Amino acid sequence: MPPSPLLSRRRLLRLATGSVALGAVLLAAGPARAAADTYDTLRLRWRDLLTGTGFDPAAEPYAGTLRGLGERALAQYTAMAPGPGSLWPDLPLGTNSANITGSYVRLRTMALAWSQPGTGLTADPALATAIATGLDHLHANAYTPTATAYGNWWDWQIGSPQALLDVCVLVHDRLTAAQLTGYLGAVAHAVPDSRLTSYTGTSTGANRVDLCRVIALCGVLGRNSARLGAASTALSPVFPYVLSGDGLYADGSFVQHTWVPYTGSYGEVLLGGLSKLFALLAGSAWQVTDPQRQNVFDSIATAWAPFLYNGLVMDAVGGRSVSRGRQVGDLLQLQQDDHTRGHTILGHILRLADSGAASAAQSAGWRAAVKGWITRDQYRPYLTNAYLDVPELARAQALLADASVTPAAEPAGARVFAMDRAVVRRAGWAASLSLCSARTTFYETGNGEHLRGWHTNSGLLNWWGSNYGNGQYSDAFWPTVDPYRMPGTTVSTKPLADAAGGAWGAARPDNVWAGGSTDGTYAAVGQDLRGLSSTLRGRKSWFLLDDSVLCLGAGITCTDGVPVETVIDNRNLGATGTHALTVDGVAQPTTLGWSQQLTGARSVALTGFGGYVFPTGTSLRAKRESRTGSWHDINGNGTTEQLTRRYLTLWFDHGTDPAGAGYEYLLMPGATAAAAAARAAAPTTTVLANSASVQAVSDSASGVTGANFFAAGTAGPITVSAPCSVLFRESGGTLTVTVADPSRLAATVTVTLARAGWTSADTSPGVNVLSLNGSVTLLVETGGTQGAGRTVTLRRTGTAPAATATALAPVRDAFVRDGSYADTAYGTATTLTVKNTNSTASGFDRRALLSFDTSAVPGTVRRAVLWLHGAVADSGGTQTTLQAFATAPTPWAESTLTWNSAPTPAAALGTGRLSTTPDWTALDVTAALTGPATTLTVWQPLGAVGLAVNLNSREHPADRPFLQVISS
């Protein structure tokens, strides 16, 4: 069963228990602090992570939160009534595993109140006795060393043991050795070390970190070096960048549940867990030393920072968490939102900075960034966030008081991620885009959460200003917004049932084109649109410019028998907002219920937010309305309180069953009515194409031209040989060109720019300059990049020789196998299987051989790349490395080639990586092209165990291998 909701999962350990007051100076009334040995040192260190150090518990915000903790603990202490079927009457045991976790969480609250100062229950002996009684009751009746798990796996392996182990740390000196041994035995039964053996299933990403935390604390409390070592070592699979599925990607993407961009939710849990484990184990025999942990440190800037703005984390990477809001089980009865989630991430970054795990320079950079985010969050000031633990409040307060740390500015620029997300960040505003493809889900629902998120990845465009609109999605947006009118989306208004499409990301479109190209400052982003449970099709593009986002739509077609709409914006005006709407200089009514068909509109502005420009004049709809809903409407765990917010909605009505409809508009965040009107009168952007095959624009203000090609073709000065995204900028004496393949289908793309006068190019990996004579012709290696762009800079000085690109199909290919198969030929197979077992005659070693006729390659070879398409097909893992080897061009035939007769691999050449998702990989084999015939062996690095990979052979119906040669 998939994981349960994060509220009743990880956040339950903080939110539902009121553990906002976890941190306090440990008083003498609590257990003794003297550390007798390493295990005691680690136990007390974990206690400090739970309770905090270095603050005055009598000062605010600590005094209030400590009192609140005591009040909640007293209520739970008073209500506790051990009986045959429960520890608390409202949490019956035996059928719902969440009630076990909930019971331990309540004991944890009581233990915190007992160990914290200022709670009114500090060191209360009766409370300590009640805690021990509760632990014994659950140990005897629910979470036992022989219990058979029921309900949700997460409760047994993460939720319950995490809370139980925290209690054991907090009241350690009040437990007998027999009690502690028994509790640890129950945890070992539910979470054996074998859960860390394979990095698969529910033991990946954030879940793996949580499991390691459980086993590490078992090692600390049980004084078990082996368990501590297992936990530390088992973190290693979390660190490498992944190519598919769960985990961190090199470009900053983070995915959980295979299909869901989750940086702000599961990514938060992963970062929090790692920061705590790094801090716990620092300086010990089990400290985390894997050099690839640096990937996590680097990901603070590449994965988390792009989605943090003024203290909030963008909902584009929140998944189901955006629907949680106010939860029935939350004793604090506070609202979760983008700011509270963002604050939690900031706390993790500060904890990581204090752990000493990263370099001093990197940690200093994190502190400066966090101070900037905290300082700028005026919508929900960090120190007033009641969901934050006291240790995090203390760290933040110390940071704010540290005059040596200068707050860093918001990071600027544009980013396009492999997980179908994009962001643009400017000095005065930021925006995010949420797309979907065959690689990512329409939306994720599950455990009764996010029931109406149907269209949240159909081009959702969220944006915030530096000093306005920071509560746009925080102020009851999700329960009150019209789910068919998410800003930026194009949708069929066909009615959908709650949770339509299936749970856990099951609903995925079949399109592959989603993403775009970026030079780091500007971006062209596009989506081949599909509708959830709908016939809707279309093409959407966004061009991320200096002060605006130019939005295009084309080929919008649907036969659902209902209207289709593109939502320009759907602004949350709050409970009483009457923000003025100005259309072409004319103020519109502010009366609720007002609606209007705006004909020929060219400039529209909403006071306090921004402007919208329609360069050719267009017809659109506008409406003011009051909408009412509850968190329970979109999340079964939510409260039923009715919330009402006002909205101003602007949209294009494409009509019922449109065929080839389109749109064009410019979003200008922060623009006044005068600024929008001025831009409409003197536009800086020109639409070069807006069709189902290509969408392209040029912007005179920045010198940027961008184009999203959904098919080979020409738009303005750009011609391409295959679907791709192209962005180029002419500035001074340089022309910078970026090319990406969001479809991830092509190994190479040829791009021609009708631009003359460029005579040389900087060396750029993956970009081959074929000609600069009168125009620019590039051969760009896009295969295996996961949609990332390749960038080259051209100059008007110097010279570059012309080059020729030659693509050669193999004249022969085959794979061979050792051991008892060493005399078997597999020459005509449609796949070439490769695997290195690093053993002799096992019968599982396989190598592929490919021969090419290179006699017709002209001139001098400058670069040669062997392109292979395939995927890992091995239960032992998800990604592996391939390597090419030069091989003597000894004559051989496919039908007779065997392991015993195959020529021996010689010099090692280039490497490439593949995952379980079929893709191209490029192996540099330049050194092997020395004559009229070339034979290459494909295997895996010598001396290392690899995974089995199936590669398409020349007999395969698609994506066959080829040798790309660049010569001059």
Side-chain angles (χ1 to χ4, degrees):
M1 178 179 179
S4 57
L6 286 186
L7 176 76
S8 59
R9 304 175 67 222
R10 300 170 171 97
R11 283 192 180 275
L12 181 62
L13 302 182
R14 294 194 298 268
L15 309 184
T17 65
S19 58
V20 295
L22 291 185
V25 176
L26 192 61
L27 302 183
R33 291 185 58 90
D37 59 15
T38 298
Y39 297 107
D40 286 337
T41 298
L42 296 184
R43 174 173 54 79
L44 294 173
R45 185 180 293 174
W46 188 260
R47 183 184 178 111
D48 283 348
L49 287 170
L50 295 176
T51 59
T53 59
F55 65 93
D56 179 2
E60 294 296 350
Y62 315 110
T65 54
L66 289 168
R67 286 194 304 271
L69 171 63
E71 291 167 1
R72 288 185 293 278
L74 179 60
Q76 293 165 1
Y77 171 33
T78 303
M80 193 176 84
S86 67
L87 184 56
W88 277 273
D90 63 327
L91 294 178
L93 305 171
T95 58
N96 185 350
S97 61
N99 288 349
I100 304 175
T101 299
S103 298
Y104 277 122
V105 163
R106 291 182 181 182
L107 292 176
R108 184 176 182 269
T109 300
M110 293 160 60
L112 284 163
W114 177 79
S115 62
Q116 301 276 60
T119 67
L121 294 171
T122 306
D124 185 293
L127 179 60
T129 299
I131 294 167
T133 298
L135 290 175
D136 285 341
H137 186 83
L138 293 175
H139 179 67
N141 297 285
Y143 201 71
T144 76
T146 59
T148 300
Y150 56 83
N152 196 312
W153 72 271
W154 182 89
D155 290 303
W156 295 92
Q157 298 179 24
I158 294 175
S160 291
Q162 281 193 354
L164 165 60
L165 294 168
D166 282 353
V167 174
C168 290
V169 168
L170 292 166
V171 299
H172 179 268
D173 291 357
R174 296 300 298 262
L175 301 176
T176 67
Q179 283 176 308
L180 188 59
T181 299
Y183 305 154
L184 295 178
V187 176
H189 172 68
V191 195
D193 288 357
S194 60
R195 287 294 289 119
L196 305 180
T197 301
S198 176
Y199 193 68
T200 57
T202 57
S203 186
T204 63
N207 289 333
R208 169 57 72 97
V209 176
D210 275 346
L211 291 167
C212 287
R213 169 178 159 179
V214 168
I215 290 177
L217 284 175
C218 282
V220 170
L221 290 165
R223 313 176 77 79
N224 188 318
S225 177
R227 296 212 90 186
L228 273 161
S232 178
T233 302
L235 289 172
S236 288
V238 175
F239 303 145
Y241 293 129
V242 301
L243 299 175
S244 62
D246 294 354
L248 283 164
Y249 291 67
D251 76 331
S253 297
F254 178 84
V255 170
Q256 192 82 31
H257 292 175
T258 309
W259 319 112
V260 190
Y262 250 136
T263 318
S265 185
Y266 280 88
E268 173 264 305
V269 174
L270 177 133
L271 182 60
L274 287 175
S275 67
K276 289 175 181 176
L277 286 173
F278 286 147
L280 171 68
L281 301 175
S284 74
W286 310 281
Q287 71 178 359
V288 181
T289 58
D290 189 325
Q292 291 199 80
R293 72 191 189 284
Q294 185 63 41
N295 291 341
V296 176
F297 304 155
D298 294 343
S299 292
I300 299 297
T302 61
W304 282 281
F307 294 100
L308 292 166
Y309 187 73
N310 285 356
L312 63 82
V313 62
M314 299 176 184
D315 285 338
V317 289
R320 304 188 325 275
S321 70
V322 304
S323 73
R324 289 180 185 139
R326 187 167 293 172
Q327 301 278 276
V328 172
D330 179 10
L331 296 180
L332 295 177
Q333 280 302 290
L334 298 173
Q335 178 183 288
Q336 299 179 56
D337 55 43
D338 48 2
H339 286 268
T340 61
R341 287 187 290 273
H343 292 174
T344 301
I345 293 173
L346 300 187
H348 296 336
I349 296 173
L350 274 184
R351 187 188 303 111
L352 188 62
D354 288 350
S355 73
S359 69
Q362 202 160 29
S363 296
W366 296 339
R367 291 188 181 97
V370 170
K371 190 169 186 176
W373 283 315
I374 291 176
T375 302
R376 287 186 296 273
D377 194 347
Q378 300 303 308
Y379 177 79
R380 181 166 284 117
Y382 187 95
L383 294 179
T384 68
N385 181 356
Y387 275 145
L388 286 174
D389 300 342
V390 168
E392 279 56 65
L393 292 171
R395 287 191 192 94
Q397 198 165 55
L399 176 69
L400 293 173
D402 188 348
S404 69
V405 179
T406 301
E410 291 284 352
R415 296 279 304 277
V416 180
F417 295 87
M419 60 180 176
D420 297 343
R421 295 293 184 269
V423 295
V424 57
R425 307 170 64 99
R426 300 297 184 229
W429 57 278
S432 68
L433 278 165
S434 301
L435 318 178
C436 60
S437 69
R439 302 175 295 272
T440 55
T441 180
F442 278 112
Y443 76 113
E444 186 190 57
T445 184
N447 286 331
E449 296 193 299
H450 206 25
L451 298 173
R452 299 175 187 172
W454 314 301
H455 303 302
T456 46
N457 294 329
S458 296
L460 177 63
L461 175 57
N462 289 349
W463 54 278
W464 308 259
S466 58
N467 56 8
Y468 62 90
N470 280 215
Q472 176 64 202
Y473 313 103
S474 318
D475 184 18
F477 173 85
W478 291 99
T480 60
V481 71
D482 184 341
Y484 295 93
R485 287 181 173 162
M486 292 293 177
T489 63
T490 298
V491 305
S492 163
T493 58
K494 173 184 176 181
L496 296 172
D498 286 356
W504 311 115
R508 288 180 291 123
D510 59 4
N511 63 294
V512 294
W513 210 115
S517 54
T518 179
D519 61 4
T521 303
Y522 306 97
V525 183
Q527 178 180 26
D528 183 8
L529 180 70
R530 299 289 187 272
L532 173 65
S533 302
S534 168
T535 61
L536 176 66
R537 300 290 186 271
R539 303 284 164 74
K540 293 170 70 72
S541 287
W542 301 263
F543 299 90
L544 312 182
L545 305 173
D546 281 317
D547 65 354
S548 57
V549 179
L550 181 57
C551 309
L552 298 180
I556 298 170
T557 301
C558 188
T559 59
D560 289 349
V562 297
V564 172
E565 300 176 352
T566 293
V567 183
I568 300 164
D569 212 338
N570 202 354
R571 287 278 108 183
N572 179 2
L573 307 182
T576 60
T578 57
H579 303 65
L581 180 71
T582 304
V583 180
D584 292 331
V586 179
Q588 304 299 307
T590 59
T591 309
L592 279 177
W594 169 83
S595 65
Q596 186 68 46
Q597 176 82 31
L598 304 175
T599 303
R602 297 197 64 200
S603 70
V604 176
L606 183 61
T607 300
F609 291 107
Y612 313 84
V613 175
F614 307 91
T616 60
T618 192
S619 178
L620 66 145
R621 301 291 303 275
K623 180 179 183 179
R624 287 183 185 271
E625 65 177 332
S626 180
R627 292 186 55 81
T628 298
S630 74
W631 289 106
H632 185 74
D633 293 338
I634 62 172
N635 189 310
N637 304 302
T639 57
T640 58
E641 175 191 4
Q642 295 296 292
L643 305 168
T644 300
R645 296 295 182 268
R646 296 180 177 185
Y647 285 85
L648 189 288
T649 312
L650 302 171
W651 75 96
F652 295 111
D653 184 351
H654 301 302
T656 299
D657 293 345
Y663 62 84
E664 172 189 346
Y665 68 96
L666 188 74
L667 166 65
M668 299 178 65
T672 63
R679 184 63 56 85
T684 61
T685 54
T686 301
V687 175
L688 304 175
N690 187 19
S691 71
S693 59
V694 58
Q695 295 171 316
V697 305
S698 64
D699 177 44
S700 60
S702 61
V704 167
T705 298
N708 291 324
F709 289 90
F710 300 96
T714 298
I718 309 172
T719 299
V720 301
S721 65
C724 64
S725 178
V726 180
L727 184 85
F728 71 82
R729 184 187 185 201
E730 296 170 284
S731 177
T734 62
L735 170 64
T736 301
V737 186
T738 301
V739 180
D741 175 18
S743 70
R744 310 188 193 184
L745 296 178
T748 63
V749 177
T750 301
V751 177
T752 301
L753 307 180
R755 290 292 188 268
W758 304 100
T759 60
S760 69
D762 295 350
T763 300
S764 178
V767 181
N768 304 282
V769 179
L770 300 184
S771 175
L772 297 176
N773 185 19
S775 62
V776 175
T777 302
L778 309 172
L779 180 72
V780 184
E781 299 170 6
T782 56
T785 61
Q786 296 192 306
R790 301 279 200 180
T791 299
V792 64
T793 298
L794 305 174
R795 304 186 184 278
R796 296 189 184 278
T797 57
T799 59
T804 300
T806 305
L808 301 172
V811 294
R812 294 180 299 278
D813 64 13
F815 79 92
V816 295
R817 186 171 181 176
D818 75 340
S820 60
Y821 306 92
D823 289 316
T824 302
Y826 302 91
T828 59
T830 58
T831 59
L832 307 171
T833 303
V834 170
K835 181 172 184 177
N836 181 9
T837 66
N838 197 33
S839 61
T840 302
S842 68
F844 294 101
D845 268 335
R846 281 151 287 186
R847 300 195 295 250
L849 286 85
L850 303 94
S851 289
F852 298 88
D853 179 359
T854 50
S855 61
V857 174
T860 302
V861 174
R862 290 167 44 185
R863 177 170 172 78
V865 175
L866 175 61
W867 286 99
L868 300 165
H869 195 276
V872 170
D874 196 311
S875 61
T878 60
Q879 52 188 349
T880 195
T881 299
L882 295 181
Q883 184 157 32
F885 295 83
T887 307
T890 305
W892 54 271
E894 289 181 340
S895 60
T896 58
L897 185 72
T898 66
W899 182 277
N900 285 336
S901 66
T904 302
L909 304 171
T911 62
R913 292 186 67 76
L914 282 173
S915 73
T916 51
T917 298
D919 200 357
W920 289 100
T921 189
L923 309 182
D924 187 336
V925 296
T926 307
L929 269 70
T930 57
T934 300
T935 295
L936 301 166
T937 294
V938 177
W939 204 19
Q940 290 166 334
L942 302 178
V945 175
L947 301 175
V949 176
N950 286 335
L951 304 168
N952 295 355
S953 74
R954 72 188 190 105
E955 290 85 5
H956 198 276
D959 298 325
R960 302 180 185 93
F962 68 97
L963 182 64
Q964 182 77 64
V965 184
I966 307 297
S967 58
S968 59

